[in-house]
Amino acid sequence: MKYNSLDRAAESHKVIIMIVLLFGFISFSLNLYTSLPVKNYSLNRESVDGKLVWQKYNCNACHQIYGLGGYLGPDLTNVYSKRDTSFITAYLKNGTTTMPDFNLSSNEIYSLLAYFKSTDNSGSSDPRTFIILQNGTIK
Ligand code: HEC
């Protein structure tokens, strides 16, 4: 097959466009992955215990953590900063008409509070409060 000069010009334009697109894609990806905020936190003994209490009583059936779980009760990811610890303790000790009373021991309540503190430090749950950044990530 023979190419004339017009075909060759069209081919080289395509190559240039591909290079520009590839360069754009790579630099955007690099920028995105190097600028993502990564929170460093570690679970301490108490919060691990609290997570086990959370699982033992299946609190997840009605509540969400990081947006995942049942929807009868509210998301509790940030309950630690939204509410007083005495408010949370009162809920856990007594329940309400819609939230059962699990007869939790004070140790279990203490561990649950530590767990709520760690989820509060490591994530946020209400998408309505998120700010969408220019590169498509959220804050
Ligand atoms: C049967 C469903 C159900 C289960 C299981 C359940 N909850 Fe709840 N919880 C609710 C409902 C519904 C509310 C909201 C009740 C209200 O406002 O009267 C609530 C409220 C709460 C609140 C107060 C939140 C706020 O900001 O007002 C906390 C804290 C809480 N639950 C913790 C727990 C923990 C910890 C467990 C597991 C031990 C648990 N819940 C298990 C239904 C449940």
Side-chain angles (χ1 to χ4, degrees), residues 53-63 71-76 79 82-83 87-89 91-92 95-100 102 104 112 115-116:
V53 177
W54 176 265
Q55 288 169 345
K56 179 181 170 191
Y57 293 97
N58 205 12
C59 311
N60 225 52
C62 299
H63 293 283
Y71 288 95
L72 192 63
D75 187 307
L76 297 178
V79 73
K82 276 188 202 144
R83 306 285 201 188
F87 177 97
I88 301 173
T89 307
Y91 252 85
L92 297 180
T96 66
T97 46
T98 46
M99 154 110 180
F102 293 92
L104 300 169
L112 277 171
Y115 177 56
F116 289 146

Side-chain angles (χ1 to χ4, degrees), residues 46 49-50 53 56-57 85 88-90 92-94 101-115:
E46 288 83 20
D49 287 346
V53 177
K56 179 181 170 191
Y57 293 97
T85 50
I88 301 173
T89 307
L92 297 180
K93 273 196 175 145
N94 310 303
D101 175 7
F102 293 92
N103 295 313
L104 300 169
S105 70
S106 40
N107 263 346
E108 287 175 321
I109 293 179
Y110 176 79
S111 308
L112 277 171
L113 285 172
Y115 177 56

Side-chain angles (χ1 to χ4, degrees), residues 9 13 26 41:
H13 274 119
I26 290 171
Y41 75 98

Side-chain angles (χ1 to χ4, degrees), residues 113-132:
L113 285 172
Y115 177 56
F116 289 146
K117 189 176 181 185
S118 76
T119 60
D120 187 45
N121 283 336
S122 56
S124 41
S125 61
D126 190 352
R128 286 169 299 187
T129 62
F130 292 174
I131 298 162
I132 300 171

